[in-house]
DNA sequence: ACCTGAACACCGTTCAAGT
DNA sequence: ACCTGAACACCGTTCAAGT
């Protein structure tokens, strides 16, 4: 049996097989490693566990203690593979969005293609609201660049004038991130199984009741507010931006006043 | 001198002037109160102090301990006037946005009016990024209802078809909140005095460098990305949504495919 | 009623120590 | 190299006690 001092003096890149007197359960580092590889700690495994916790119990439940328990390790071990909590959320967000964007079917029609990309982002964020929250907290995330590129590529074939393409791609990205943040907020405060319609009705009446005579527009659309479909409304917004970027200007009667 | 037990037995709504033996500095509750009113604790004063801290040192600096020190009181005292930290942020956000929206000049031209409202929100959030972060975390905030109403009112005179008005107002609100969240995120990570252009350049090259041959769109607009003006780009997005909501559809060549 | 501040129940993160 | 878990330096919030 080698005393501890000797173990510590073993260079980390040296195979422990070469250390005389090493106990069997420390022998053959590589063999040992590969045997345990399935459940060894790694960034991928940590991110996977984080996603499980985030999806099951929400962003607030992702603590290093909970994660360490879930992985049957110490909280400090996680820091060996990940910089900090924010990095972990970023990696989880990247995973979830990359997976969603990779699944988008190849399209030929520009508008259909853009819709498909936007909806892939929407659906991913709808399924993983914490990812939406992270993206709006960190809009320079690689996933945002991916969305920006994937949408931007289609603007030329769509017929958006060259000078408007950058602004158009930015507007779409901002819009998508805005919806992402909203979805995340809704999911955070509206636990599963809540009556969505009643909840929306409450918000609408809260917005109206301040001054009982005014707010005519909100009054007029209150019914739509509590009954609309988020996904459908999301697409409507995407279409507005695309149509507006194509149009020459002065589409509205009142917009002629340039 | 009245013993403590007697002080405690004084009903809270009873004037302390009526308690025999009350020390002078506790006498004349009303007079005492009005004399100290200027620096007595109140929700308004707490919110005001919170805004000062938020503007000066950012959202992370708003702790109950810092706030209590700033107000020369105990942290528990704040809870007498405010529900919790989130309520405090909400009140501060409401203050800042209500002030900004109240200052918007009356306009006659629909497009100009909508731009003015959107820009008022943009500028308020630009000056108080923490308010933007709060709004995207809590999109049912009264300020969002106000923005929604103020914009919505102009859609009819603008010429947006009735059936599209709700979707249009929602799209604009989502867009504004999206930009709000981004601004907040930028302000959080880009301390004052940082070279904005270099920072944006870094993001752009981070988005591109993954695969050196691909990402043609990003490559094409990289210069615009690092040099664009946020405010101007914000207005461009608003205009896209408005134009798109007015247009009959099929404005783009490739959009004719319904 | 309103205020005080210690105490409570958490956090993320670090780090000496283990293997 | 990689893992452990106690310790540290914070938080928001509560609450018995004061005035």
């Amino acid at each position: 049996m080698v005393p501890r001092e000797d173990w510590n003096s073993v260079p980390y890149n040296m195979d422990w097989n070469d250390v005389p007197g090493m106990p069997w359960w420390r022998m053959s580092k590589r063999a040992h490693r590969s045997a345990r590889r399935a459940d060894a700690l790694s960034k991928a495994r940590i991110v996977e566990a984080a996603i499980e916790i985030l999806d099951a119990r929400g962003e607030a439940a992702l603590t290093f203690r909970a994660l360490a328990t879930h992985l049957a390790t110490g909280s400090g071990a996680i820091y060996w593979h990940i910089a900090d909590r924010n990095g972990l959320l970023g990696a989880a967000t990247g995973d979830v969005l990359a997976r969603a964007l990779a699944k988008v079917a190849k399209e030929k029609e520009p508008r259909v293609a853009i819709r498909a990309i936007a909806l892939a982002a929407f659906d991913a964020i709808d399924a993983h609201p914490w990812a939406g929250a992270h993206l709006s907290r960190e809009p320079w995330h690689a996933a945002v660049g991916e969305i920006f590129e994937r949408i931007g590529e289609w603007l030329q074939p769509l017929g958006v004038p060259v000078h408007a393409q950058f602004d158009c791609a930015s507007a779409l990205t901002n819009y998508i991130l805005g919806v992402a943040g909203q979805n995340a907020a809704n999911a955070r405060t509206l636990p599963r199984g809540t009556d969505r319609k009643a909840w929306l009705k409450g918000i609408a009446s809260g917005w109206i009741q301040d001054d009982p005579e005014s707010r005519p527009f909100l009054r007029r659309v209150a019914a739509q507010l509590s009954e609309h479909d988020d996904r459908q409304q999301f697409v409507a917004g995407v279409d507005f931006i695309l149509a507006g970027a194509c149009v020459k200007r002065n589409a509205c009667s009142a917009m002629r006043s340039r």
Side-chain angles (χ1 to χ4, degrees), chain A residues 9 51 54 74 130 141 169 197 230 250:
Chain A
S9 71
I51 292 175
L54 288 163
W130 47 267
H141 191 287
K197 197 187 282 187
D230 275 345
N250 61 17

Side-chain angles (χ1 to χ4, degrees), chain A residues 127-205:
Chain A
H128 313 281
W130 47 267
H134 185 78
L135 286 186
S136 37
R137 217 157 36 221
E138 209 159 84
W140 48 86
H141 191 287
V144 177
E146 171 83 6
I147 294 171
F148 193 88
E149 171 72 26
R150 296 275 291 269
I151 286 176
E153 279 169 347
W154 286 102
L155 297 182
Q156 181 71 35
L158 217 212
V160 176
V162 174
H163 68 86
Q165 289 179 13
F166 174 63
D167 283 347
C168 178
S170 296
L172 281 167
T173 307
N174 277 327
Y175 174 72
I176 291 171
L177 290 183
V179 174
Q182 293 226 40
N183 262 19
N186 293 353
R188 214 180 297 122
T189 52
L190 183 135
R192 44 177 128 246
T194 319
D195 183 351
R196 183 188 129 95
K197 197 187 282 187
W199 184 71
L200 287 170
K201 234 174 204 150
I203 291 170
S205 68

Side-chain angles (χ1 to χ4, degrees), chain A residues 1-13:
Chain A
M1 199 64 115
V2 174
R4 274 177 195 170
E5 290 70 35
D6 283 308
W7 284 10
N8 281 334
S9 71
V10 174
Y12 293 126
N13 53 356

Side-chain angles (χ1 to χ4, degrees), chain A residues 32-199:
Chain A
H32 184 65
R33 279 286 210 82
S34 51
R36 282 189 59 203
R37 178 148 322 183
D39 41 63
L41 216 49
S42 69
K43 177 158 174 171
R45 253 176 60 75
I46 292 170
V47 170
E48 187 194 357
I51 292 175
E52 279 168 25
I53 293 174
L54 288 163
D55 283 343
R57 303 196 284 126
E59 188 181 326
L62 183 71
T63 67
F64 278 80
R65 279 160 244 259
L67 192 55
T69 304
H70 191 291
L71 288 164
T73 183
S75 60
I78 296 163
Y79 280 91
W80 189 264
H81 301 273
I82 237 114
D84 51 21
R85 196 183 119 104
N86 201 53
L88 180 55
L89 274 167
T93 300
D95 253 38
V96 153
L97 260 97
R99 207 143 43 209
L101 290 170
K103 257 188 272 184
V104 178
K106 293 255 181 289
E107 301 285 351
K108 302 218 156 154
E109 202 59 54
R111 195 157 70 116
V112 178
I114 292 173
R115 277 186 173 187
I117 295 157
L119 278 174
F122 179 91
D123 290 335
I125 285 162
D126 191 53
H128 313 281
W130 47 267
H134 185 78
L135 286 186
S136 37
R137 217 157 36 221
E138 209 159 84
W140 48 86
H141 191 287
V144 177
E146 171 83 6
I147 294 171
F148 193 88
E149 171 72 26
R150 296 275 291 269
I151 286 176
E153 279 169 347
W154 286 102
L155 297 182
Q156 181 71 35
L158 217 212
V160 176
V162 174
H163 68 86
Q165 289 179 13
F166 174 63
D167 283 347
C168 178
S170 296
L172 281 167
T173 307
N174 277 327
Y175 174 72
I176 291 171
L177 290 183
V179 174
Q182 293 226 40
N183 262 19
N186 293 353
R188 214 180 297 122
T189 52
L190 183 135
R192 44 177 128 246
T194 319
D195 183 351
R196 183 188 129 95
K197 197 187 282 187
W199 184 71

